Amino acid sequence: MSQTNTPSASHAEQGKPWWRYPIVWMVVGGPAAVVVASLYTASIAVTHVDPVLDTSGGQTHSTPHAPAMQARNHAAEQAREPADR
């Protein structure tokens, strides 16, 4: 019987630096991707700012919305007379 002096797998794993372990990149990679995505989203929000609407001009509803507003108000009010059948 002969014995060989080969290092075991656990001994070879102990000598590796931390960045050589795949589990480290799985743990660090998720939060790092979220930080990068949030910075990208913030840059989009800063560069493409929506304009502020001027509501000081009295009537805030434009004419295309007038029929919808009338229908909404009509549906919300109480019926004064019974419907004809």
Side-chain angles (χ1 to χ4, degrees), residues 13-29:
E13 292 277 332
Q14 290 176 355
K16 290 174 30 175
W18 66 269
W19 63 84
R20 296 283 183 170
Y21 292 97
I23 192 71
V24 172
W25 294 110
M26 289 178 63
V27 170
V28 174

PDB file of all heavy atoms in Angstrom, residues 13-29:
ATOM      1  N   GLU A  13      -8.804  24.582  -0.807  1.00  0.00           N
ATOM      2  CA  GLU A  13      -9.797  25.648  -0.728  1.00  0.00           C
ATOM      3  C   GLU A  13      -9.388  26.708   0.274  1.00  0.00           C
ATOM      4  O   GLU A  13      -9.734  27.871   0.140  1.00  0.00           O
ATOM      5  CB  GLU A  13     -11.165  25.070  -0.329  1.00  0.00           C
ATOM      6  CG  GLU A  13     -11.793  24.191  -1.377  1.00  0.00           C
ATOM      7  CD  GLU A  13     -12.512  25.009  -2.422  1.00  0.00           C
ATOM      8  OE1 GLU A  13     -12.981  26.113  -2.105  1.00  0.00           O
ATOM      9  OE2 GLU A  13     -12.596  24.547  -3.558  1.00  0.00           O
ATOM     10  N   GLN A  14      -8.660  26.330   1.314  1.00  0.00           N
ATOM     11  CA  GLN A  14      -8.299  27.278   2.361  1.00  0.00           C
ATOM     12  C   GLN A  14      -7.273  28.297   1.887  1.00  0.00           C
ATOM     13  O   GLN A  14      -7.214  29.407   2.412  1.00  0.00           O
ATOM     14  CB  GLN A  14      -7.768  26.541   3.578  1.00  0.00           C
ATOM     15  CG  GLN A  14      -8.828  25.763   4.301  1.00  0.00           C
ATOM     16  CD  GLN A  14      -8.247  24.971   5.456  1.00  0.00           C
ATOM     17  OE1 GLN A  14      -7.028  24.932   5.657  1.00  0.00           O
ATOM     18  NE2 GLN A  14      -9.117  24.332   6.210  1.00  0.00           N
ATOM     19  N   GLY A  15      -6.499  28.003   0.899  1.00  0.00           N
ATOM     20  CA  GLY A  15      -5.459  28.908   0.446  1.00  0.00           C
ATOM     21  C   GLY A  15      -5.931  29.917  -0.585  1.00  0.00           C
ATOM     22  O   GLY A  15      -5.178  30.803  -0.962  1.00  0.00           O
ATOM     23  N   LYS A  16      -7.172  29.829  -1.029  1.00  0.00           N
ATOM     24  CA  LYS A  16      -7.667  30.740  -2.061  1.00  0.00           C
ATOM     25  C   LYS A  16      -8.061  32.078  -1.451  1.00  0.00           C
ATOM     26  O   LYS A  16      -8.569  32.139  -0.349  1.00  0.00           O
ATOM     27  CB  LYS A  16      -8.882  30.134  -2.763  1.00  0.00           C
ATOM     28  CG  LYS A  16      -8.550  28.943  -3.634  1.00  0.00           C
ATOM     29  CD  LYS A  16      -9.708  28.210  -4.241  1.00  0.00           C
ATOM     30  CE  LYS A  16     -10.939  28.938  -4.556  1.00  0.00           C
ATOM     31  NZ  LYS A  16     -11.942  28.115  -5.240  1.00  0.00           N
ATOM     32  N   PRO A  17      -7.840  33.181  -2.190  1.00  0.00           N
ATOM     33  CA  PRO A  17      -8.316  34.483  -1.699  1.00  0.00           C
ATOM     34  C   PRO A  17      -9.847  34.565  -1.779  1.00  0.00           C
ATOM     35  O   PRO A  17     -10.496  33.784  -2.467  1.00  0.00           O
ATOM     36  CB  PRO A  17      -7.660  35.492  -2.641  1.00  0.00           C
ATOM     37  CG  PRO A  17      -7.196  34.722  -3.808  1.00  0.00           C
ATOM     38  CD  PRO A  17      -7.082  33.285  -3.410  1.00  0.00           C
ATOM     39  N   TRP A  18     -10.417  35.544  -1.084  1.00  0.00           N
ATOM     40  CA  TRP A  18     -11.871  35.616  -0.955  1.00  0.00           C
ATOM     41  C   TRP A  18     -12.565  35.825  -2.286  1.00  0.00           C
ATOM     42  O   TRP A  18     -13.688  35.381  -2.465  1.00  0.00           O
ATOM     43  CB  TRP A  18     -12.273  36.707   0.039  1.00  0.00           C
ATOM     44  CG  TRP A  18     -11.933  38.096  -0.419  1.00  0.00           C
ATOM     45  CD1 TRP A  18     -10.797  38.776  -0.168  1.00  0.00           C
ATOM     46  CD2 TRP A  18     -12.757  38.950  -1.201  1.00  0.00           C
ATOM     47  NE1 TRP A  18     -10.833  40.011  -0.742  1.00  0.00           N
ATOM     48  CE2 TRP A  18     -12.039  40.148  -1.383  1.00  0.00           C
ATOM     49  CE3 TRP A  18     -14.014  38.844  -1.769  1.00  0.00           C
ATOM     50  CZ2 TRP A  18     -12.531  41.208  -2.113  1.00  0.00           C
ATOM     51  CZ3 TRP A  18     -14.513  39.912  -2.490  1.00  0.00           C
ATOM     52  CH2 TRP A  18     -13.776  41.082  -2.656  1.00  0.00           C
ATOM     53  N   TRP A  19     -11.969  36.482  -3.238  1.00  0.00           N
ATOM     54  CA  TRP A  19     -12.646  36.759  -4.504  1.00  0.00           C
ATOM     55  C   TRP A  19     -12.671  35.558  -5.440  1.00  0.00           C
ATOM     56  O   TRP A  19     -13.298  35.589  -6.476  1.00  0.00           O
ATOM     57  CB  TRP A  19     -12.030  37.971  -5.200  1.00  0.00           C
ATOM     58  CG  TRP A  19     -10.599  37.794  -5.602  1.00  0.00           C
ATOM     59  CD1 TRP A  19     -10.132  37.195  -6.737  1.00  0.00           C
ATOM     60  CD2 TRP A  19      -9.472  38.209  -4.869  1.00  0.00           C
ATOM     61  NE1 TRP A  19      -8.773  37.208  -6.754  1.00  0.00           N
ATOM     62  CE2 TRP A  19      -8.326  37.838  -5.617  1.00  0.00           C
ATOM     63  CE3 TRP A  19      -9.273  38.847  -3.660  1.00  0.00           C
ATOM     64  CZ2 TRP A  19      -7.040  38.096  -5.179  1.00  0.00           C
ATOM     65  CZ3 TRP A  19      -7.985  39.108  -3.244  1.00  0.00           C
ATOM     66  CH2 TRP A  19      -6.890  38.739  -3.992  1.00  0.00           C
ATOM     67  N   ARG A  20     -12.022  34.491  -5.067  1.00  0.00           N
ATOM     68  CA  ARG A  20     -12.021  33.275  -5.879  1.00  0.00           C
ATOM     69  C   ARG A  20     -13.190  32.351  -5.566  1.00  0.00           C
ATOM     70  O   ARG A  20     -13.400  31.372  -6.259  1.00  0.00           O
ATOM     71  CB  ARG A  20     -10.721  32.494  -5.661  1.00  0.00           C
ATOM     72  CG  ARG A  20      -9.496  33.206  -6.095  1.00  0.00           C
ATOM     73  CD  ARG A  20      -9.351  33.152  -7.569  1.00  0.00           C
ATOM     74  NE  ARG A  20      -8.096  33.788  -7.965  1.00  0.00           N
ATOM     75  CZ  ARG A  20      -7.615  33.722  -9.160  1.00  0.00           C
ATOM     76  NH1 ARG A  20      -8.245  33.047 -10.082  1.00  0.00           N
ATOM     77  NH2 ARG A  20      -6.501  34.324  -9.431  1.00  0.00           N
ATOM     78  N   TYR A  21     -13.967  32.667  -4.531  1.00  0.00           N
ATOM     79  CA  TYR A  21     -15.109  31.837  -4.163  1.00  0.00           C
ATOM     80  C   TYR A  21     -16.354  32.339  -4.903  1.00  0.00           C
ATOM     81  O   TYR A  21     -16.701  33.521  -4.810  1.00  0.00           O
ATOM     82  CB  TYR A  21     -15.356  31.897  -2.648  1.00  0.00           C
ATOM     83  CG  TYR A  21     -14.264  31.244  -1.843  1.00  0.00           C
ATOM     84  CD1 TYR A  21     -13.245  32.002  -1.292  1.00  0.00           C
ATOM     85  CD2 TYR A  21     -14.256  29.870  -1.648  1.00  0.00           C
ATOM     86  CE1 TYR A  21     -12.239  31.418  -0.555  1.00  0.00           C
ATOM     87  CE2 TYR A  21     -13.258  29.272  -0.908  1.00  0.00           C
ATOM     88  CZ  TYR A  21     -12.250  30.049  -0.372  1.00  0.00           C
ATOM     89  OH  TYR A  21     -11.259  29.456   0.353  1.00  0.00           O
ATOM     90  N   PRO A  22     -17.049  31.487  -5.631  1.00  0.00           N
ATOM     91  CA  PRO A  22     -18.237  31.930  -6.384  1.00  0.00           C
ATOM     92  C   PRO A  22     -19.375  32.422  -5.493  1.00  0.00           C
ATOM     93  O   PRO A  22     -20.121  33.320  -5.881  1.00  0.00           O
ATOM     94  CB  PRO A  22     -18.667  30.685  -7.157  1.00  0.00           C
ATOM     95  CG  PRO A  22     -17.527  29.737  -7.112  1.00  0.00           C
ATOM     96  CD  PRO A  22     -16.721  30.092  -5.913  1.00  0.00           C
ATOM     97  N   ILE A  23     -19.498  31.886  -4.288  1.00  0.00           N
ATOM     98  CA  ILE A  23     -20.592  32.294  -3.407  1.00  0.00           C
ATOM     99  C   ILE A  23     -20.439  33.751  -2.989  1.00  0.00           C
ATOM    100  O   ILE A  23     -21.434  34.457  -2.775  1.00  0.00           O
ATOM    101  CB  ILE A  23     -20.686  31.350  -2.183  1.00  0.00           C
ATOM    102  CG1 ILE A  23     -21.991  31.577  -1.425  1.00  0.00           C
ATOM    103  CG2 ILE A  23     -19.521  31.549  -1.260  1.00  0.00           C
ATOM    104  CD1 ILE A  23     -23.202  31.104  -2.140  1.00  0.00           C
ATOM    105  N   VAL A  24     -19.213  34.243  -2.907  1.00  0.00           N
ATOM    106  CA  VAL A  24     -18.983  35.648  -2.548  1.00  0.00           C
ATOM    107  C   VAL A  24     -19.588  36.551  -3.618  1.00  0.00           C
ATOM    108  O   VAL A  24     -20.231  37.554  -3.304  1.00  0.00           O
ATOM    109  CB  VAL A  24     -17.474  35.922  -2.375  1.00  0.00           C
ATOM    110  CG1 VAL A  24     -17.207  37.402  -2.208  1.00  0.00           C
ATOM    111  CG2 VAL A  24     -16.940  35.143  -1.201  1.00  0.00           C
ATOM    112  N   TRP A  25     -19.415  36.214  -4.873  1.00  0.00           N
ATOM    113  CA  TRP A  25     -19.947  37.042  -5.961  1.00  0.00           C
ATOM    114  C   TRP A  25     -21.460  36.949  -6.041  1.00  0.00           C
ATOM    115  O   TRP A  25     -22.127  37.905  -6.474  1.00  0.00           O
ATOM    116  CB  TRP A  25     -19.300  36.671  -7.286  1.00  0.00           C
ATOM    117  CG  TRP A  25     -17.844  37.022  -7.242  1.00  0.00           C
ATOM    118  CD1 TRP A  25     -16.794  36.151  -7.198  1.00  0.00           C
ATOM    119  CD2 TRP A  25     -17.288  38.336  -7.161  1.00  0.00           C
ATOM    120  NE1 TRP A  25     -15.614  36.849  -7.116  1.00  0.00           N
ATOM    121  CE2 TRP A  25     -15.895  38.196  -7.101  1.00  0.00           C
ATOM    122  CE3 TRP A  25     -17.829  39.616  -7.139  1.00  0.00           C
ATOM    123  CZ2 TRP A  25     -15.027  39.283  -7.023  1.00  0.00           C
ATOM    124  CZ3 TRP A  25     -16.964  40.700  -7.066  1.00  0.00           C
ATOM    125  CH2 TRP A  25     -15.600  40.532  -7.004  1.00  0.00           C
ATOM    126  N   MET A  26     -22.025  35.832  -5.607  1.00  0.00           N
ATOM    127  CA  MET A  26     -23.480  35.729  -5.568  1.00  0.00           C
ATOM    128  C   MET A  26     -24.044  36.617  -4.452  1.00  0.00           C
ATOM    129  O   MET A  26     -25.077  37.252  -4.612  1.00  0.00           O
ATOM    130  CB  MET A  26     -23.899  34.277  -5.349  1.00  0.00           C
ATOM    131  CG  MET A  26     -23.648  33.394  -6.551  1.00  0.00           C
ATOM    132  SD  MET A  26     -24.096  31.690  -6.252  1.00  0.00           S
ATOM    133  CE  MET A  26     -25.834  31.830  -5.986  1.00  0.00           C
ATOM    134  N   VAL A  27     -23.352  36.676  -3.322  1.00  0.00           N
ATOM    135  CA  VAL A  27     -23.814  37.482  -2.190  1.00  0.00           C
ATOM    136  C   VAL A  27     -23.602  38.968  -2.455  1.00  0.00           C
ATOM    137  O   VAL A  27     -24.466  39.793  -2.173  1.00  0.00           O
ATOM    138  CB  VAL A  27     -23.091  37.045  -0.895  1.00  0.00           C
ATOM    139  CG1 VAL A  27     -23.361  37.997   0.240  1.00  0.00           C
ATOM    140  CG2 VAL A  27     -23.499  35.635  -0.518  1.00  0.00           C
ATOM    141  N   VAL A  28     -22.477  39.342  -3.017  1.00  0.00           N
ATOM    142  CA  VAL A  28     -22.160  40.743  -3.262  1.00  0.00           C
ATOM    143  C   VAL A  28     -22.826  41.241  -4.543  1.00  0.00           C
ATOM    144  O   VAL A  28     -23.200  42.412  -4.640  1.00  0.00           O
ATOM    145  CB  VAL A  28     -20.624  40.922  -3.338  1.00  0.00           C
ATOM    146  CG1 VAL A  28     -20.238  42.322  -3.744  1.00  0.00           C
ATOM    147  CG2 VAL A  28     -19.999  40.573  -2.016  1.00  0.00           C
ATOM    148  N   GLY A  29     -23.000  40.381  -5.508  1.00  0.00           N
ATOM    149  CA  GLY A  29     -23.523  40.790  -6.811  1.00  0.00           C
ATOM    150  C   GLY A  29     -24.953  41.277  -6.782  1.00  0.00           C
ATOM    151  O   GLY A  29     -25.310  42.227  -7.489  1.00  0.00           O
TER     152      GLY A  29
END
